[in-house]
Amino acid sequence: MSPTAQVVHANPSSHLGDKVGDLNPGSETVPKASRVDPARFLSQASHDRPASAIRALFPAEAIPGMLSLLAGKPNPETFPFESISVNIKPEAESGPTQLTIDGDDLVTALQYGATAGIPKLVQWITQLQVHMHTREVVTPGSKLDGVAGRSPWRVTTGNGSQDLLNKTFDALLNPGDVILVESPVYTGILPSLVMLKARIVPVVSDDQGMMSSRLTEILENWDSNAETAGLPRPKCLYTTPTGANPAGTTASDDRKRQILALARQHDFLILEDDPYYYLHFGGLDEDAVTRKRGKSYWGLEEEHRERWGTGRVVRFESFSKILAAGLRLGFATGPTEILDAVDANTAMSNLQPSGVPGVMAFKLLNHWGIPGFLRHVDSVARYYAKRRDNFEAKARQVLGESGVAQWVTPVAGMFLWLKLNLPSSGPEEPEGDSFALISDKAKAAGVLAVPGVAFIPDGSKTCYVRTSFSIIEEKDVEEAFCRLRDVVLAAWKEAGKPMRPLA
């Protein structure tokens, strides 16, 4: 089960449903200034954290003619590695390709280095973000800084996006600060929020993830609703907009526009956790390099930026799902002020991301170029789309036809979020609870899944269960669902009543 969190239920008065066009992103009241000041969202811990006396001077070592007596770096002549060679799988008709890390690149991989990660990798990712999200690079003090609502942004890397998420929460949230989260929510963020003593306000999801209509109700009734009246206004919002873990939902561009409009109107940040962005199953029959992909919150900031400015979105991505999870490489893109605070945490806690995976990733990405990278991620997406199709077909055959479960077809990611048809323990609970059934009975029957309670911010009962189609052998899917079905049917038999039809 998820750790106990300080969760506030805003109890919106009605279920309005979300429809495209409910909110007009261009119709909000124009603010007095178009410049967003991300620094004012920083936590007290970020202000109090002293800068690293040594790492703050690292960039000066690159000044021509500089003689450095600065850091206690080990001398590269003592490193026992001559080179590192990596063989990558064949591409099209060609054979395997060997990439070699040696010379200065090897020294960079093995030595203490930049807090944000391997500079060449950071630069490559920066160009990828420019290409994918159509945002010009803006640096502090440059000619674009502040022009037409632009604000400085950059990229930093970490030991997976989870590392960067936790450090960003620390950079933003004081005890008692409010964060809005979609419900269900990725369970990995909850321990960090609990430890920071943040107040969590969940926002109900539908088949596109967080509902902008519910979010509107919560925000408009903030000061009159007994649950939120005594709380500070939200500082940030967390969402997984593509192939969400666990719900598998994907937000449309219009849904994102609606939520971004609310962030601008009510003055909070959006933390866009998007590790499945490149695992979207739409458009895979088109050319990988030229086809249009869904817009990110970070990219959508360019719309109406002259009126609202930019600097309100921090975007998190990962190479775990598209290159290799064991590389432990994630990256964040967002306002310079916030990522500076994240890097200050890294400098204190683990100095820098691991160099060898960073240089390996750069060598591979540089070998591919952006076109090759896009062809690769589309190949990975096609692989998971095929698995999704098989997984859902078997679910429909075994669980759907028997009336045991229902779900929303995922258009991205790795998950099928099943709503199980379970007997309830009483009239006050219209739906049954999946926790004991999945944790105990399903496990005893030889099938594992994650009880839905792990993804509910306040840990309340739910009939949902998360299943993943990413790694199970396709030949075993039907048997896994048969075991799950039989456990559910046995629960109804044990309850001594006939199974009710699905709504």
Side-chain angles (χ1 to χ4, degrees), residues 179-232:
I179 180 171
L180 301 157
V181 305
E182 58 201 2
S183 182
V185 68
Y186 169 51
T187 190
I189 71 164
L190 295 176
S192 181
L193 298 178
V194 170
M195 295 305 294
L196 290 170
K197 296 180 172 57
R199 304 296 293 268
I200 301 172
V201 174
V203 183
V204 174
S205 296
D206 62 7
D207 60 355
Q208 288 191 46
M210 180 179 286
M211 295 176 65
S212 55
S213 60
R214 286 296 184 97
L215 180 58
T216 300
E217 279 191 286
I218 290 170
L219 294 169
E220 290 184 349
N221 298 322
W222 193 269
D223 295 326
S224 59
N225 189 305
E227 299 289 345
T228 55
L231 298 179

Side-chain angles (χ1 to χ4, degrees), residues 60-80:
E61 290 188 315
I63 297 174
M66 182 66 67
L67 300 178
S68 177
L69 306 175
L70 178 66
K73 297 178 180 179
N75 195 301
E77 292 185 8
T78 68
F79 298 161

